[in-house]
Amino acid sequence: VQLVESGGGLVQPGGSLRLSCTASGFSNSYYTIAWFRQAPGKEREGIACIDVSDSNTEYADSVNGRFIIPNDNARNTVYHEMNDLKPDETGLYYCEVNFLPCLSLNSEEYDYWGRGTQITVSS
């Protein structure tokens, strides 16, 4: 299983970015992609997930209303639209996959993850 994230970069406070996560190496039609982030010196934080089979989503309270995983994702690629980004949201953003419904944002319940894409929110 391989996951590849892209779309990170430098953005000003209040700005937006769109990340993508492309998954390969498995044939299951039922899986969940989750997004996590890790700031320097902090633990990995789960922020959102989507069950690809039924488009059910879950969001952490800290991003609800600002971050969106659209349900019109391309085959094997999941997007993550992040709006009104804040400086303390700077960090490495990862996508992870498991073969369960989208019920948890606990990284321990995910089986595979990518190498991440860096987001820096700064003026």
Side-chain angles (χ1 to χ4, degrees):
V1 174
Q2 185 177 21
L3 300 171
V4 179
E5 304 94 339
S6 63
L10 174 64
V11 63
Q12 292 187 342
S16 299
L17 282 175
R18 188 188 197 210
L19 303 183
S20 65
C21 171
T22 299
S24 61
F26 61 91
S27 58
N28 302 51
S29 298
Y30 301 91
Y31 59 94
T32 286
I33 295 287
W35 288 94
F36 294 79
R37 64 186 176 197
Q38 189 163 18
K42 294 187 177 181
E43 294 186 355
R44 189 173 296 194
E45 174 191 13
I47 52 179
C49 65
I50 183 167
D51 183 329
V52 173
S53 66
D54 63 10
S55 298
N56 180 54
T57 54
E58 294 289 335
Y59 298 93
D61 290 343
S62 59
V63 306
N64 199 15
R66 297 187 296 122
F67 291 12
I68 299 169
I69 302 178
N71 60 10
D72 59 347
N73 299 288
R75 181 176 175 81
N76 292 342
T77 297
V78 169
Y79 301 101
H80 191 185
E81 299 171 356
M82 303 180 298
N83 302 300
D84 190 22
L85 283 160
K86 306 178 187 304
D88 63 359
E89 295 181 310
T90 291
L92 196 59
Y93 282 67
Y94 302 85
C95 63
E96 303 187 6
V97 66
N98 70 20
F99 302 101
L100 298 170
C102 169
L103 297 175
S104 170
L105 294 176
N106 183 343
S107 183
E108 294 182 357
E109 300 191 21
Y110 288 81
D111 304 309
Y112 304 94
W113 51 92
R115 299 181 70 175
T117 184
Q118 176 69 33
I119 292 176
T120 301
V121 185
S122 175
S123 56

